[in-house]
């Protein structure tokens, strides 16, 4: 790490430097992240981003933390928590595993409480980024007419291109789950899910209705394109989506939604603009017939190595395939590895 240009982390509207971290692996134990910080580190960090209360015995700060992240504050055999308390001269109270609540930091000196809080924020931010996403903002494209055209596309591809390397029926999207993904989120408890739902409603009031005029957006799904550089080694093939009237209103809604969610801390910024696409074939779908059912039940994904397919003939033969016209009337907070009665992803909230 270049000490003159350390990595920066945005937390609560403020920017902090990230000190060098050392990660250790312990067989059959939860991983622990080590600090290389001296007793005086971070004491001068600004604390306007959180509240430090003065009490009869000193100072106190409360941190809302989802219970799945407690273990990263505790560390192996409680070592991370003990080290934090020793180096910042504070006491850190953590709820029991699985019980939602607040972590409470107390100490005789305000600077120590601020230091402990800042370190906890950086530690949690680091481990949160390692969590697989749990939810995503989506626009459903599973209307019956479009599902029918998608199944026609699938049938024709398998009829004409099944001998091409890697092409098989397991690569195709479930027609009931055809969608546009605007962005992904890691929501680890009901409070975070509710926060995302509330933000979605505020977005509707602040700018979505103004852009759309309160009316559904009519889009056309037509043509296919691939994600990577070599069509002979394709991993993702997607259908292109555009507004029927030629406007950029859908792009505006998508970009502003993601911008607002990134600003709230609920979403990480990945691209300058949202890439509007509907995945129709994906090598991540190449799996055993029972895998989707098992994933839905356990909420876990398979990380086996992807096998690309040759998409050259598909791109040539179906370059302008017309999937249909769709009315988009809601943005959904969809839950990963789930299904509702219609076969689409379970919805935690929508606008």
């Amino acid at each position: 790490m270049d000490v003159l240009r350390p990595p920066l982390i945005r937390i609560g509207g403020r920017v902090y430097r990230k000190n060098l971290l050392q990660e250790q692996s312990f067989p059959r134990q939860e991983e622990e992240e080590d600090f290389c910080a001296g007793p005086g580190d971070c004491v001068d960090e600004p604390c306007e981003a959180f509240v430090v209360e003065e009490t009869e015995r000193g100072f106190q700060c409360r941190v809302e933390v989802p219970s799945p992240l407690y273990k990263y504050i505790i560390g192996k055999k409680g070592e991370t928590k003990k080290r934090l308390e020793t180096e910042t001269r504070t006491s850190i109270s953590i709820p029991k595993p699985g019980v939602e609540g607040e972590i409470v930091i107390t100490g005789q000196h305000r600077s120590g409480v601020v230091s402990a809080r800042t370190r906890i924020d950086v530690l949690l931010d680091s481990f949160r980024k390692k969590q697989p996403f749990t939810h995503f903002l989506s626009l459903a494209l599973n209307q019956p007419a479009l599902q029918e055209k998608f199944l026609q596309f699938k049938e024709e591809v398998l009829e004409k291109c099944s001998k091409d390397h890697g092409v098989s029926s397991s690569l195709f999207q479930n027609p009931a789950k055809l969608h546009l993904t605007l962005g992904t989120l890691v929501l680890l408890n009901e409070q975070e899910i509710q926060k995302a739902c509330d933000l979605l409603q505020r977005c509707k009031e602040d700018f979505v209705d103004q852009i759309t005029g309160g009316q559904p957006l009519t889009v056309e799904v037509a043509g296919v394109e691939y994600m990577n550089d070599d069509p002979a080694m394709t991993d993702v093939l997607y259908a292109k989506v555009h507004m029927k009237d030629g406007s950029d209103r859908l792009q505006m809604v998508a970009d502003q939604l993601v911008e607002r969610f990134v600003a709230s801390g609920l979403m990480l910024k990945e691209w300058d603009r949202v890439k509007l696409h509907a995945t129709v074939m994906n090598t991540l779908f190449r799996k055993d017939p029972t895998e989707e059912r098992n994933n839905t039940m356990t909420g876990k994904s398979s990380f086996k190595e992807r096998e690309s397919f040759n998409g050259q003939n598909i791109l040539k033969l179906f370059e302008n395939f017309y999937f249909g016209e769709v009315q988009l009337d809601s943005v959904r907070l969809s839950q990963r590895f789930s299904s509702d009665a219609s076969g689409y992803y379970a919805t935690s909230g929508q606008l």
Side-chain angles (χ1 to χ4, degrees):
M1 180 183 76
D2 185 346
V3 295
L4 297 179
R5 301 183 66 182
L8 303 177
I9 299 176
R10 294 180 180 274
I11 301 174
R14 306 202 68 90
V15 179
Y16 300 95
R17 74 178 186 274
K18 183 177 181 181
N19 291 333
L20 179 64
L21 299 176
Q22 297 178 342
E23 294 188 9
Q24 297 177 317
S25 298
F26 299 93
R28 301 182 182 178
Q29 296 285 347
E30 295 295 341
E31 63 178 325
E32 178 186 3
E33 192 153 345
D34 198 13
F35 290 98
C36 293
D41 263 16
C42 301
V43 295
D44 293 325
E45 294 284 3
C47 59
E48 291 90 339
F50 46 80
V51 177
V52 178
E53 303 172 323
E54 188 169 4
T55 66
E56 294 180 356
R57 297 184 178 181
F59 297 89
Q60 174 179 280
C61 184
R62 297 177 178 273
V63 193
E64 289 189 5
V65 179
S67 60
L69 297 182
Y70 293 166
K71 59 187 177 183
Y72 301 120
I73 304 300
I74 298 170
K76 178 192 175 187
K77 298 181 180 179
E79 292 176 3
T80 301
K81 177 175 176 288
K82 292 175 185 175
R83 185 168 59 253
L84 278 170
E85 291 176 323
T86 300
E87 294 181 352
T88 61
R89 298 180 177 87
T90 59
S91 175
I92 301 172
S93 175
I94 302 175
K96 294 180 179 180
V99 178
E100 296 297 338
E102 295 178 319
I103 290 178
V104 181
I105 308 165
T106 56
Q108 293 184 351
H109 302 286
R110 183 185 185 89
S111 60
V113 173
V114 170
S115 177
R117 169 61 191 264
T118 302
R119 295 186 189 193
I120 287 175
D121 283 345
V122 172
L123 188 60
L124 291 174
D125 184 75
S126 174
F127 279 108
R128 180 180 281 276
K129 289 177 180 177
K130 299 178 183 179
Q131 305 297 313
F133 75 89
T134 60
H135 295 73
F136 57 99
L137 295 182
S138 75
L139 292 159
L141 298 175
N142 63 345
Q143 289 82 348
L146 199 140
Q147 286 196 49
E148 185 177 340
K149 290 291 289 184
F150 170 78
L151 290 173
Q152 177 188 333
F153 167 78
K154 177 180 178 180
E155 181 180 348
E156 292 184 12
V157 167
L158 292 175
E159 179 183 336
K160 299 174 182 178
C161 307
S162 61
K163 294 184 179 180
D164 294 344
H165 175 75
V167 174
S168 71
S169 60
S170 67
L171 298 178
F172 291 84
Q173 173 68 280
N174 178 343
K177 291 189 172 180
L178 288 167
H179 67 279
L180 298 177
T181 296
L182 304 186
T184 60
L185 306 94
V186 177
L187 305 177
L188 300 177
N189 59 18
E190 290 300 322
Q191 290 85 347
E192 291 189 344
I193 293 172
Q194 188 58 52
K195 182 179 178 181
C197 292
D198 293 343
L199 180 56
L200 203 54
Q201 290 304 315
R202 288 199 299 275
C203 289
K204 180 181 189 301
E205 298 165 3
D206 292 347
F207 60 85
V208 173
D209 282 347
Q210 181 179 354
I211 295 173
T212 65
Q215 299 297 319
L217 297 179
T218 303
V219 302
E220 290 183 320
V221 184
V224 293
E225 190 56 87
Y226 62 103
M227 281 288 190
N228 48 306
D229 296 329
D230 184 0
M233 297 291 288
T234 299
D235 281 319
V236 176
L237 191 79
Y238 63 89
K240 295 181 283 187
V241 180
H242 62 270
M243 286 288 298
K244 186 177 181 180
D245 63 9
S247 72
D248 63 350
R249 288 185 296 159
L250 177 58
Q251 187 72 56
M252 289 174 61
V253 169
D255 289 342
Q256 290 190 37
L257 277 170
V258 170
E259 182 180 343
R260 186 68 66 89
F261 271 77
V262 168
S264 74
L266 289 170
M267 187 181 290
L268 295 177
K269 185 176 180 64
E270 297 183 78
W271 316 104
D272 291 334
R273 301 188 75 197
V274 176
K275 186 176 183 66
L276 298 174
H277 69 284
T279 298
V280 292
M281 298 175 69
N282 191 331
T283 55
L284 287 179
F285 299 158
R286 192 193 301 280
K287 57 188 181 305
D288 298 328
T290 60
E291 184 172 321
E292 181 174 345
R293 175 172 56 84
N294 292 336
N295 284 348
T296 301
M297 294 172 63
T298 64
K300 297 181 179 179
S301 61
S302 171
F303 293 98
K304 64 183 179 181
E305 187 176 351
R306 302 175 77 155
E307 178 192 348
S308 300
F309 66 93
N310 188 342
Q312 290 175 306
N313 283 333
I314 299 175
L315 289 162
K316 180 179 178 180
L317 295 173
F318 300 92
E319 179 182 7
N320 298 310
F321 187 89
Y322 188 74
F323 291 90
E325 180 181 304
V326 181
Q327 300 281 324
L328 300 179
D329 58 3
S330 68
V331 178
R332 309 186 191 194
L333 178 63
S334 299
Q335 182 180 333
R336 194 181 187 190
F337 303 126
S338 68
S339 297
D340 62 15
S342 72
Y344 193 68
Y345 299 94
T347 300
S348 299
Q350 66 183 51
L351 63 78

